Amino acid sequence: MNIQLGRGKTARRAYGIDEIALVPGQRTLDPALADTRWTIGGVEREIPIIASAMDGVVDVGMAVRLTQLGALGVLNLEGIQTRYEDPNPILDRIASVGPSEFVGLMQELYAEPIKPELIERRVREIKEQGGIAAVSATPAGALQYGQTVAKAGADLFFVQATVVSTAHLSPESVTPLDLAQFCQEMPVPVILGNCVTYEVALNLMKAGAAGILVGIGPGAACTSRGVLGVGIPQATAVSDCAAARDDFYKETGKYVAIIADGGLITGGDICKCIACGADGVMIGSPFARAAEAPGRGYHWGMATPSPVLPRGTRIRVGTTGTLEQILRGPAQLDDGTHNLLGALKTSMGTLGAKDIKEMQQVEVVIAPSLLTEGKVYQKAQQLGMGK
């Protein structure tokens, strides 16, 4: 239903994850029977959770450990890991400065050129330790380093920008990335994003994407919505893009995974995104809180070091446990940020969903009071959901 903003403009109501709730059906099942497996680009994983390609979240060690635990981590090919032989002193500097010095320092550190030999080395280091080598670059970076990534033998290539489309206009002096040609020529599956609408998602699938990232600006460290005023709340964005996936599958027989990217903190957030139609999710700040994370208890957005218009910030997330505790438990916190797999399985059991496809079909209601109803004491004492 469209709402009239004024005489010259109408708007469609969009919903965020915090505004919806999942409704139990007529059956339940033991969480142990819930099958959470999913496939992206021919790679099957037990856990439908991807760690974001952010420098405070994924390095070589995190990518390997995430693989071992049944999930997936994506390495940023235009970040600290490929600009510096030894990233550790750089990460120490980022964690040590005050808020007023941060943006300037980031712009200085990210001015160091990307080294193609380090791209190859990082991919090789992940694979030599038995990890899945999933890597990420901007469209400009993909155009420049795509062959390097292919030569290195990466398993998945994420091409990411704040907004990506197949109809990109560039100045005559700039050669834009032809997404369809790139997907066709790359010897590894290409995941494209980010987008938030049915039409763009469908066009990206037609271009050959093996997966679609959905989300503009909801990330904990992202400021794009404030700087640009652009975005659609995740519940609506995921649902629209999932509809494109289903229509594309009916038309072609090719199933393209939809990944909800950004704004997800708790197990409940993940469950609700899948119920809206996502096949998997990409999260950053929950993993930045792991003891093994490279960010030293900090998390920052990919567009933070922009030399002309930073659209991210650095947030203090602290360290709350090991990566295993956050992903598989046992949980040491009561706020839904530990044992994300356990939360998903328990939710699926409560809803009677045997697998991800059934989870996508559960009933959803609009429920703005879901997170506040009856939680007066938790909020007053800053416990559980009141933190």
Side-chain angles (χ1 to χ4, degrees), residues 14 109 173 224 231 243 270 276 282 293:
L109 295 176
S173 59
S224 289
I270 294 168
C276 287
M282 176 175 272

Side-chain angles (χ1 to χ4, degrees), residues 317-336:
V317 294
T319 301
T320 65
T322 66
L323 182 59
E324 184 169 8
Q325 288 172 326
I326 292 169
L327 197 54
R328 305 187 73 108
Q332 291 191 326
L333 296 178
D334 56 6
D335 58 2

Side-chain angles (χ1 to χ4, degrees), residues 25-102:
Q26 297 185 34
R27 75 175 186 196
T28 57
L29 59 91
D30 190 297
L33 299 177
D35 183 359
T36 59
R37 289 175 298 170
W38 76 307
T39 300
I40 176 171
V43 176
E44 185 181 282
R45 298 274 76 201
E46 178 193 359
I47 305 174
I49 301 176
I50 304 174
S52 301
M54 295 179 172
D55 284 349
V57 178
V58 177
D59 59 6
V60 170
M62 278 285 283
V64 172
R65 187 67 180 128
L66 284 157
T67 302
Q68 293 170 342
L69 290 169
L72 187 67
V74 185
L75 187 74
N76 177 16
L77 294 185
E78 297 179 58
I80 298 300
Q81 298 293 324
T82 57
R83 296 176 192 267
Y84 296 92
E85 187 96 12
D86 182 3
N88 288 302
I90 306 303
L91 292 163
D92 288 337
R93 287 185 66 189
I94 292 172
S96 67
V97 299
S100 62
E101 308 164 88
F102 172 68

Side-chain angles (χ1 to χ4, degrees), residues 200-218:
V200 173
L202 188 60
N203 287 337
L204 294 176
M205 292 173 199
K206 291 177 180 177
I212 303 292
L213 293 161
V214 177
I216 296 174

Side-chain angles (χ1 to χ4, degrees), residues 52-387:
S52 301
M54 295 179 172
D55 284 349
V57 178
V58 177
D59 59 6
V60 170
M62 278 285 283
V64 172
R65 187 67 180 128
L66 284 157
T67 302
Q68 293 170 342
L69 290 169
L72 187 67
V74 185
L75 187 74
N76 177 16
L77 294 185
E78 297 179 58
I80 298 300
Q81 298 293 324
T82 57
R83 296 176 192 267
Y84 296 92
E85 187 96 12
D86 182 3
N88 288 302
I90 306 303
L91 292 163
D92 288 337
R93 287 185 66 189
I94 292 172
S96 67
V97 299
S100 62
E101 308 164 88
F102 172 68
V103 172
L105 174 65
M106 294 292 277
Q107 291 170 328
E108 171 198 331
L109 295 176
Y110 282 75
E112 178 73 17
I114 296 167
K115 301 172 179 61
E117 64 272 17
L118 285 180
I119 292 177
E120 290 192 46
R121 184 187 303 177
R122 301 304 181 217
V123 171
R124 188 168 62 249
E125 287 171 346
I126 293 171
K127 294 182 74 71
E128 285 175 349
Q129 297 177 62
I132 295 170
V135 298
S136 172
T138 62
L143 190 62
Q144 188 169 357
Y145 304 114
Q147 292 307 308
T148 302
V149 171
K151 179 184 175 186
D155 298 300
L156 297 169
F157 195 1
F158 289 67
V159 179
Q160 292 183 261
T162 300
V163 180
V164 68
S165 73
T166 55
H168 180 70
L169 301 180
S170 298
E172 290 184 5
S173 59
V174 177
T175 303
L177 177 66
D178 185 323
L179 293 175
Q181 182 180 352
F182 186 79
C183 290
Q184 183 177 359
E185 293 179 352
M186 280 296 288
V188 300
V190 178
I191 292 85
L192 299 176
N194 284 34
C195 69
V196 288
T197 65
Y198 174 96
E199 293 80 8
V200 173
L202 188 60
N203 287 337
L204 294 176
M205 292 173 199
K206 291 177 180 177
I212 303 292
L213 293 161
V214 177
I216 296 174
C222 185
T223 61
S224 289
R225 289 181 176 179
V227 176
L228 306 179
V230 175
I232 292 181
Q234 282 291 64
T236 295
V238 169
S239 180
D240 285 349
C241 294
R245 174 204 59 210
D246 294 342
D247 288 347
F248 184 71
Y249 177 70
K250 290 175 186 175
E251 184 180 323
T252 67
K254 180 181 177 183
Y255 192 90
V256 179
I258 292 292
I259 303 129
D261 175 21
L264 312 178
I265 304 297
T266 67
D269 295 339
I270 294 168
C271 296
K272 287 190 277 185
C273 262
I274 294 175
C276 287
D279 298 284
V281 302
M282 176 175 272
I283 60 177
S285 58
F287 285 143
R289 304 171 85 193
E292 301 94 325
R296 279 77 167 149
Y298 286 95
H299 176 54
W300 56 93
M302 292 175 73
T304 303
S306 168
V308 292
L309 188 65
R311 297 187 310 283
T313 188
R314 181 194 63 174
I315 57 173
R316 172 74 177 167
V317 294
T319 301
T320 65
T322 66
L323 182 59
E324 184 169 8
Q325 288 172 326
I326 292 169
L327 197 54
R328 305 187 73 108
Q332 291 191 326
L333 296 178
D334 56 6
D335 58 2
T337 61
H338 276 194
N339 195 1
L340 300 177
L341 176 62
L344 176 57
K345 282 180 168 286
T346 301
S347 181
M348 291 172 67
T350 303
L351 297 164
K354 292 184 294 185
D355 53 29
I356 295 298
K357 187 52 63 179
E358 288 194 0
M359 186 67 170
Q360 293 169 344
Q361 306 303 318
V362 301
E363 183 182 355
V364 177
V365 295
I366 307 303
S369 64
L370 179 72
L371 301 180
T372 57
E373 186 177 37
K375 302 299 182 288
V376 173
Y377 292 113
Q378 288 186 35
K379 185 175 181 181
Q381 299 173 40
Q382 294 189 319
L383 298 170
M385 292 167 59
K387 290 182 181 177

